[in-house]
Amino acid sequence: MKINKLLLLLSTELKSTSSLNILKNSRDKKKRSKVIGGYIGYGLLILMIIAYGFFSSWGYGFIGLSSIAPELTALSVSALAFIFTLLKSNSYLYEFKEYDMLMAMPFEIRDIVGSKFLYMYIKSLYWYVSISFSGLIGYAIWVKPGVYTYISWILLTFIIPI
């Protein structure tokens, strides 16, 4: 029951803050071009992060230090998660417009705060995944690890930022 409330709050917040709503429903060309420009900017940043993750892991393998590539990838993901948490937590957790409306609804504070933390995690997840998976590809080129390494790397990609 409590998970249903948490997921309801989370899905509502994800839908209401998505810029895809502006693309779908807005007729204002200026707003739409800002959203498209933002997506292009995010895409370029993600491509740069993927290149960083891949070439750093590949480079460590090239110079014979492939054994430290997983630790450095995990360190990069952890550092990025720490920085995002510091920068985004104030706005995601405390500065939201619907605070009075949410407090008047039949939700417990624990559900509201939990949905805010999940929202913050989900909104940053593609950054972590792009670093980690590209690091995995660069690492796999040199080491050719077993299947258990891929499984644990993928699972840790979602756990380390927490």
Side-chain angles (χ1 to χ4, degrees):
M1 183 80 165
K2 293 180 190 235
I3 292 183
N4 288 339
K5 288 183 180 181
L6 181 79
L7 292 177
L8 174 69
L9 285 169
L10 180 64
S11 67
T12 303
E13 187 160 13
L14 285 171
K15 287 176 186 175
S16 69
T17 60
S18 173
S19 53
L20 288 174
N21 287 335
I22 294 173
L23 283 177
K24 277 176 31 179
N25 301 322
S26 178
R27 305 245 188 257
D28 188 9
K29 288 184 180 183
K30 194 172 187 179
K31 284 183 182 180
R32 291 173 58 90
S33 64
K34 269 187 175 181
V35 170
I36 292 170
Y39 281 137
I40 292 170
Y42 276 131
L44 290 174
L45 280 173
I46 287 176
L47 286 176
M48 290 185 341
I49 285 178
I50 288 171
Y52 162 76
F54 173 76
F55 285 118
S56 65
S57 291
W58 185 82
Y60 283 120
F62 184 75
I63 61 174
L65 297 173
S66 61
S67 63
I68 63 169
E71 289 91 2
L72 291 175
T73 302
L75 181 67
S76 298
V77 170
S78 297
L80 190 65
F82 179 72
I83 290 169
F84 279 173
T85 301
L86 286 179
L87 294 177
K88 293 182 175 185
S89 63
N90 192 27
S91 64
Y92 282 158
L93 296 177
Y94 303 114
E95 294 180 7
F96 53 97
K97 298 174 187 172
E98 67 275 356
Y99 178 80
D100 292 332
M101 182 180 68
L102 274 177
M103 291 302 159
M105 291 185 167
F107 296 113
E108 295 180 21
I109 294 174
R110 157 178 69 194
D111 295 332
I112 295 170
V113 172
S115 73
K116 294 292 180 182
F117 274 109
L118 275 174
Y119 176 76
M120 190 168 57
Y121 173 74
I122 289 171
K123 290 296 274 190
S124 301
L125 192 60
Y126 54 90
W127 299 109
Y128 311 141
V129 168
S130 63
I131 288 177
S132 184
F133 286 178
S134 61
L136 173 63
I137 293 169
Y139 177 72
I141 288 173
W142 290 101
V143 176
K144 297 180 183 32
V147 175
Y148 65 91
T149 304
Y150 294 107
I151 293 169
S152 61
W153 194 304
I154 290 169
L155 289 175
L156 287 174
T157 297
F158 298 103
I159 294 172
I160 287 175
I162 294 174

